[in-house]
Amino acid sequence: MRFVSILLWLLGGMLALYLLVMGAFYIFQRAFYYPAPGAGLTLADGPGPGFQDMSLTTSDGLVLRAFYHPARPGRPTLVFFHGNGGDLTGSEMATRAFAEQGYGVLLPEYRGYGGNPGTPNEQDLYRDGAAGLYWLENNRMPIGDIVLIGNSLGSGIATELAKRKKVGGLILVSGFVSLPHVVAQHYPYIPTFLVRDRYDNRAKIGRVSAPILLYHGTADTVVPVSNSRVLKKAQPAATFALERGAGHDLMFSPVATRRISAWLRDTFPVPPPSPPGPPPPDPGTSLDRHDGSVSNAP
């Protein structure tokens, strides 16, 4: 009986400890999901050449910092949503090559990041992303000329907005099935119902009508490549591309720039230049007003 009592006491202690840890996780989980609030650029740090420092106003009244590079005529504008550990500096690094190719680039920064006001969470990050789309539309940007790129956590924001709006394209790099799915892959002892922010890409991607590129590294240990395979099954029309040996920093590699650029060229071909018009008539000739024929001037 004494052995049974000791065993029950140990089991009870372990259960109490487990419940304590799960309670702490539930309360403090957003500090784990959003590890970089407040980090990144200071207000004194400006963007690199070609980018403008600007602000976006969210539907709940926050004014958030962003960088913008206007597109050349005939090129779409890319809106890039970084991962949970990213910032504007990294976003600019990941997209500068596209700006140099003439694509427009809008880099919204999340609330709570880089000196922005507010606290990040799923619904409010959707508001932050939507503020970028509203600004582009308000500046006469056709929604079909906008391509959303979501890297890691940013895949959840990009997918949500592509579900709401008929954007021109959606690119998910190192995207996940959902946040609870990734938590379960790394911490199977945490019940998924405790995960407060969901970012359920699998449930949404089938409702996206835009062309989609799913791009993932086979050596990604943060968001395993199996996530993109599941998303491909949920949206069979999506283009699925793997990068052998690439990890979770895939978006920052030159090979990613080449792969994404090729997809953009195929999806948004640049129209060829218009052929030159006919040469002007000689000063000593005049056009007949009836049939367009040329007659000698008297």
Side-chain angles (χ1 to χ4, degrees):
M1 291 294 295
R2 184 178 180 183
F3 173 77
V4 174
S5 298
I6 294 175
L7 181 61
L8 290 175
W9 183 85
L10 290 174
L11 291 175
M14 292 173 63
L15 177 60
L17 179 60
Y18 174 77
L19 293 176
L20 179 64
V21 171
M22 292 302 100
F25 167 78
Y26 184 79
I27 295 172
F28 299 109
Q29 60 184 273
R30 283 179 174 146
F32 175 73
Y33 302 148
Y34 311 107
L41 296 177
T42 67
L43 293 179
D45 297 322
F51 283 84
Q52 306 167 10
D53 203 333
M54 57 169 294
S55 61
L56 302 171
T57 303
T58 66
S59 61
D60 57 344
L62 292 187
V63 178
L64 306 179
R65 196 179 189 192
F67 290 170
Y68 178 62
H69 180 280
R72 286 206 300 255
R75 295 277 186 170
T77 292
L78 316 180
V79 184
F80 180 76
F81 301 106
H82 64 67
N84 65 334
D87 59 16
L88 278 175
T89 301
S91 294
E92 187 181 333
M93 290 174 55
T95 58
R96 173 158 293 281
F98 303 111
E100 292 172 351
Q101 295 174 44
Y103 293 102
V105 177
L106 177 62
L107 307 176
E109 184 57 292
Y110 308 143
R111 64 186 64 207
Y113 279 69
N116 278 338
T119 302
N121 62 76
E122 179 182 4
Q123 296 303 319
D124 284 340
L125 261 59
Y126 293 157
R127 290 189 178 93
D128 299 348
L133 294 190
Y134 174 80
W135 184 85
L136 289 172
E137 290 186 278
N138 200 43
N139 283 272
R140 302 183 183 277
M141 173 74 66
I143 194 67
D145 288 346
I146 298 172
V147 178
L148 306 180
I149 304 179
N151 182 48
S152 191
L153 178 76
S155 69
I157 303 165
T159 302
E160 170 67 20
L161 297 179
K163 175 179 70 73
R164 297 181 188 179
K165 295 276 192 176
K166 293 185 180 298
V167 294
L170 173 66
I171 301 173
L172 303 184
V173 182
S174 307
F176 49 63
V177 170
S178 68
L179 189 54
H181 182 86
V182 176
V183 169
Q185 287 182 305
H186 289 279
Y187 309 101
Y189 50 84
I190 297 179
T192 56
F193 67 81
L194 292 179
V195 181
R196 298 159 70 183
D197 292 343
R198 313 300 285 186
Y199 298 104
D200 195 348
N201 291 338
R202 174 168 49 185
K204 300 172 183 177
I205 197 167
R207 297 158 62 186
V208 175
S209 59
I212 300 173
L213 171 63
L214 302 173
Y215 188 37
H216 220 114
T218 60
D220 193 334
T221 58
V222 178
V223 179
V225 67
S226 59
N227 284 262
S228 281
R229 296 187 191 278
V230 173
L231 294 178
K232 170 63 175 176
K233 291 181 180 178
Q235 176 52 281
T239 299
F240 181 65
L242 295 178
E243 208 59 63
R244 300 292 175 187
H248 197 62
D249 57 352
L250 172 62
M251 184 67 209
F252 299 90
S253 65
V255 68
T257 299
R258 293 193 295 271
R259 176 84 72 166
I260 294 172
S261 296
W263 186 85
L264 288 170
R265 287 193 300 269
D266 291 342
T267 308
F268 300 90
V270 178
S274 302
D282 292 336
T285 63
S286 62
L287 292 179
D288 186 284
R289 295 184 180 180
H290 299 289
D291 61 7
S293 61
V294 180
S295 61
N296 291 328

